[in-house]
């Protein structure tokens, strides 16, 4: 067994296992922390796929940003620990059936297709090439995404300030 | 298939990563369909986006789609960040108005 094989199985197990804990956990805070382990496992899989910059971006944006946002959402909308699992989980059997069917179909399609696999190029780093692409072929998408992020910030600020003035007025 | 199954298991290639992403996708689908807490549904959407990203990067390593897959995955991460920010702002507004974040009880659109 090579080291990369062992690492692949380790991180795949961490990713899928933590995702399963996230979905089936009764406590939403436990779910958020399980999601953190799942995202870290995905970042490790990126490293195994020679995508160093994307692994760093995953750690910074998902684990450092989105997860903190979700934890704040949990804390600001907390209804105490009185809400039980049964009332927040519906359609358990049809949902399980549908997702197991989806997984089986996807895995069947992935394993039976003859992929045209090229021999992987061993790269040292992707940052230089990604930067060249970002400033070359993808410059329009880059600028559009920048504008999108600006609109997002303005929209989020607008919504949360409206929240404050409304509560000030009604309550 | 000429290889033995052990040989196939001991050499992780494209299909192994695709299977991991299929499992992540189905778990995210399970969260979106069965949970009635808005934040749990959002976490399920994040899982689905991550599984798509694993697919893009696995294809960009093992097939001809070289660095273009990395670029698409990068844009997916950026848009996921924007989506999470706006969705959390909407959830806080909804919680302020309805005093609940159970999706089944949020049933009116105006007033």
């Amino acid at each position: 067994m090579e080291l990369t094989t062992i690492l692949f199985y380790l991180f795949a197990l961490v990713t899928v296992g933590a995702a399963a804990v996230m979905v089936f956990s009764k406590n939403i805070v436990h779910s958020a922390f399980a999601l953190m382990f799942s995202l870290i496992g995905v970042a490790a899989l990126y490293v195994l796929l020679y995508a160093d910059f994307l692994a760093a971006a995953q750690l910074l944006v998902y684990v450092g940003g989105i997860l903190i946002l979700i934890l704040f959402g949990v804390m600001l909308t907390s209804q105490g620990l009185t809400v039980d699992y049964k009332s927040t989980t519906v359609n358990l059997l049809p949902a399980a059936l549908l997702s197991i069917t989806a997984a089986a179909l996807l895995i069947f399609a992935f394993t039976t297709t003859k992929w045209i696999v090229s021999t992987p190029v061993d790269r040292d780093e992707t940052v230089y090439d990604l930067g060249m692409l970002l400033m070359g072929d993808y410059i329009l998408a880059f600028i559009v995404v920048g504008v999108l992020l600006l609109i997002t910030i303005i929209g989020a600020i607008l919504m949360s300030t409206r929240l404050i003035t409304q509560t000030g007025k009604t309550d | 298939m000429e290889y033995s199954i052990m040989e196939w298991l001991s050499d992780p290639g494209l299909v192994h990563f695709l299977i991991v992403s299929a499992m992540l996708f189905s778990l995210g689908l399970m969260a979106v369909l069965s949970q009635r807490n808005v934040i749990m549904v959002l976490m399920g959407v994040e899982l689905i986006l991550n599984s798509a990203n694993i697919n893009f990067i696995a294809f960009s390593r093992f097939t001809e789609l070289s660095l273009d897959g990395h670029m698409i995955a990068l844009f997916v991460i950026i848009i996921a960040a924007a989506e999470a920010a706006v969705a959390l702002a909407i959830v806080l507004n909804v919680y302020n108005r309805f005093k609940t974040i159970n999706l089944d009880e949020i049933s009116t659109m105006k007033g």
Side-chain angles (χ1 to χ4, degrees), chain A residues 5 9 22-23 28 39 46 49-50 58 62 88-90 99 117-118 121 129-130 134 138 145 163 167, chain B residues 9-10 18 26-27 34-37 40 46 50 53 57 61-62 64 67-68 71 78 80 93 96 101:
Chain A
T5 312
Y9 282 110
M22 185 219 103
V23 177
I28 190 162
L39 295 175
Y46 289 172
L49 287 166
Y50 286 73
Q58 167 96 1
Y62 269 104
T88 56
T89 312
V90 291
S99 44
V117 175
S118 61
V121 255
D129 297 326
L130 278 182
L134 210 53
Y138 288 89
V145 156
L163 182 85
T167 46
Chain B
L9 278 178
S10 71
L18 294 185
S26 67
L27 282 169
S34 72
Q35 299 284 341
R36 276 299 158 267
N37 190 325
M40 284 299 293
E46 301 297 337
N50 266 291
N53 262 352
I57 295 177
R61 168 135 178 86
F62 291 106
E64 294 295 319
L67 276 179
D68 292 328
M71 296 305 303
I78 295 169
N93 263 321
N96 186 47
I101 45 170

Side-chain angles (χ1 to χ4, degrees), chain A residues 9-25:
Chain A
Y9 282 110
L10 178 70
F11 288 123
L13 198 71
V14 166
T15 306
V16 178
V21 170
M22 185 219 103
V23 177
F24 297 110
S25 172

